[in-house]
Amino acid sequence: MKNSIFNITLSGMALFVLLAVAAGCGKKQALPKGEELVSVYCSGDEYFSDKKHFRANAIGESMDQMTAKKKATANAREELAGSIQVTMKAVLDNYVNSREANNVEDIEERFEGLSRQVINQVLSGTRTICEKQTKTESNTYKTYMAIELRGDDLVQAINERLTEDQKLRIDYDYEKFKKTFEDEMEKMENRY
């Protein structure tokens, strides 16, 4: 008898704790006075860069529907290019510093110059992964857009350019470069 009362009491307490936790999770956090939560299309966790893709999202607004789209595309590409440049700077710093070449500074400058050229070229290979258009109360169009670029495409393009440069080819190790790149992509994914 004591055992069954104990089991009923224990079950009741467990149910109470479960309900209390569920109620706490369901509570909405109060927003500061005068503010409201805004949901943005083509934004959120699934649109963050990960270890395989660079991703960016942006908004473009205009009275003309196509101009809104062009603005969103340009803004997203600019954001993507910035993200790629930061990552590539870290990759190149780590890669060049790990190489024991006599002319490290010259190699680093050449790598950076080539990577900038490649970034500009590969941006044309971006893929739109989300696009939504709305019309506002003020009769303008808004385009929400998210784009991505595969990290492998970038590495391949850089590899092609680096192997064309005779000076760099001497000190260039593709496998080491790719490993350094993959390490940086892993760090980027873990930031989010």
Side-chain angles (χ1 to χ4, degrees), residues 165-180:
D165 186 300
Q166 266 188 308
K167 271 189 175 180
L168 288 177
R169 193 175 347 149
I170 294 167
D171 292 314
Y172 178 60
D173 178 347
Y174 173 72
E175 291 303 321
K176 187 167 188 64
F177 179 81
K178 187 172 183 197
K179 172 74 173 115
T180 306

Side-chain angles (χ1 to χ4, degrees), residues 30-36:
L31 292 171
K33 188 176 181 176
E35 293 183 19
E36 66 180 77

Side-chain angles (χ1 to χ4, degrees), residues 3 7 9 20 22-23 28 40-41 49 53 62 64-65 99 106 131 135 163 166 168 171 183 188:
N3 245 357
N7 285 341
T9 305
K28 290 184 179 178
V40 178
Y41 296 118
S49 294
H53 301 91
S62 175
D64 177 66
Q65 191 174 10
R99 304 292 299 157
D106 182 44
E131 182 179 330
K135 192 166 185 179
T163 56
Q166 266 188 308
L168 288 177
D171 292 314
D183 290 346
M188 183 167 45

Side-chain angles (χ1 to χ4, degrees), residues 51-64:
K51 65 184 178 183
K52 295 191 182 275
H53 301 91
F54 288 98
R55 293 190 179 111
N57 58 0
I59 302 170
E61 185 173 4
S62 175
M63 293 177 69
D64 177 66

Side-chain angles (χ1 to χ4, degrees), residues 83-139:
S83 176
I84 292 170
Q85 285 176 335
V86 167
T87 302
M88 289 309 298
K89 175 74 171 129
V91 169
L92 294 175
D93 285 348
N94 291 333
Y95 175 78
V96 171
N97 290 333
S98 72
R99 304 292 299 157
E100 293 185 18
N102 294 333
N103 53 353
V104 170
E105 191 172 313
D106 182 44
I107 291 172
E108 193 167 2
E109 286 176 24
R110 295 176 71 82
F111 265 69
E112 285 179 13
L114 282 174
S115 70
R116 267 192 242 90
Q117 291 172 8
V118 170
I119 289 168
N120 290 335
Q121 288 173 353
V122 297
L123 282 179
S124 63
T126 59
R127 186 172 77 95
T128 301
I129 55 175
C130 178
E131 182 179 330
K132 303 226 185 258
Q133 280 201 326
T134 62
K135 192 166 185 179
T136 67
E137 289 178 357
S138 57
N139 224 21

